[in-house]
Amino acid sequence: MTNGPISGSFQQGLTGSPNPAHPVRDDSTITGTALGKLTSTSVSPLAAAAEILFLPLIAVILGFIFNPGDPLWIQASFPWSWFAPVILALRYGPLAGLGGAGLLLVAWLLANIGHYDTFPKLYFLGGLILVMLVGEFSSLWLARTRRAETVQIYLDQRLEHLTRQYYLLRLSHDRLEQDLISRPMSMRDALLTLRGLGENPDGAHGGDTLLRLLAQYCQLESASLHQVIDGEVQDRPLATIGTTTPLADGDPMIAQALASLALCHISQVQAEQQERTRYLIVAPLINLNGDVYGLLTVEDLPFFSLQDETLQTINLLLGYYTDGLAVHALAASVCEKIPLCPPEFAFETQRLWHLRQTTGIGSIIVALEFLPRAIDADLPMQLMRMKRSLDEHWLCAGAGKMVLATLMPLGDVATAEGFLARLEAWAQQKSEGTLAQLGIFPHILPLHGEPPLTVLKRVQELADG
């Protein structure tokens, strides 16, 4: 794993420190030179006004020093004094250049008082045209420079944002990789492992398997599973994982969990009780009939694992395991009302509906209605052979047609639609037709608010109707 280097790089990216993946542009290397200062326009208005005033004056003073008879170089081979307005126009645009040219005009007027009839029209006209052209060129390139700087700032911000997102993605990837290493199986595999453990409620094998699954999926480091007999929690644990301590008599979290018959964690107890409890999570094992079979106490787990998903997973696995302890009792009420329903299907429906009530994770039943032509082609038996490991089937025969009900644990409407899409592909491959053309019509029955008996009666009504 590369958490250490990644975390360090991520912190450098957040603090703006130099990073090989995120080069920082150093503007000081450009603006620190004389040429950079000359071309930089990020100056205050007072400094710009001072340049507009003093550059033409310096040009005039130099003219009086080097050419006293013609300080503005009007009669010379080249009008050197116009360098000042041209430089101003290049730096700040045509208005600044016109201001410098105006100062040259004022200087000529002051130097030629009483001789205004000899005003050099072509000299000043050519200079003004030159300043306007240079100023227009400067304005165009200043606009382009500002636009390029704006785009560069936006790209720098986007690069910084993408760099941060990249490091977050790498951290998230490493975290997911760690989770996959600790939880190599899917939740369906976990439920398949727990199926059948309820046949031996007093044995330690089921408790060890349950704790092992909880350790894999919820990252429990230290936990114990205690039996509850006649409302009393047994001191001797049925199974343990990690380094545990003897059961704490009078622990406030244990008392709260048994009183509320629900999972309790450290954030739910009051502040003064948090100092008195040694547990982080306490969860009773309660089946659909409300009977308490045991108590799970968790003493240690990683900080980031104490979240809603972990608590929901604990409730799911504990509820599925505990309901298996009363498999025959749970199925009896449904089989009494619907004799044609297999006990295993009835029990799983009851158990998954109970999980929906306690954890909020739903399941779904897909009922396939077969017309006589589909029955004659032996399609119900072919589809039953396509059963997945955790699914349960109920082939209900009616007057002239059959209904194959498939119970999909931990599934939703999207799961059912994916299953039907696979059946459509199977029908297309088998006969180059659709399910409807083969005489198969699907019905989706979610296990949400309605009791399991009501949903199973709808399956029987489809077969009888």
Side-chain angles (χ1 to χ4, degrees), residues 3-15 19-20 163 167 170:
N3 286 348
I6 293 176
S7 300
S9 301
F10 176 63
Q11 292 175 357
Q12 290 180 356
L14 291 179
T15 57
N19 193 301
T163 303
Y167 284 116
R170 290 191 64 181

Side-chain angles (χ1 to χ4, degrees), residues 346-358:
F347 165 67
E348 282 298 318
T349 305
Q350 288 273 67
R351 178 154 66 173
L352 294 174
W353 179 78
H354 182 219
L355 291 180
R356 165 66 183 179
Q357 304 303 115
T358 56

Side-chain angles (χ1 to χ4, degrees), residues 258-303:
L258 293 177
S260 61
L261 296 181
L263 181 146
C264 297
H265 55 88
I266 190 65
S267 301
Q268 292 178 329
V269 299
Q270 299 178 357
E272 60 273 10
Q273 293 179 342
Q274 291 182 1
E275 300 178 356
R276 295 169 47 199
T277 182
R278 75 168 69 135
Y279 302 114
L280 299 177
I281 299 174
V282 175
L285 280 70
I286 307 172
N287 71 351
L288 185 59
N289 296 329
D291 299 327
V292 181
Y293 284 95
L295 190 71
L296 172 70
T297 57
V298 179
E299 299 182 31
D300 191 16
L301 78 163
F303 174 76

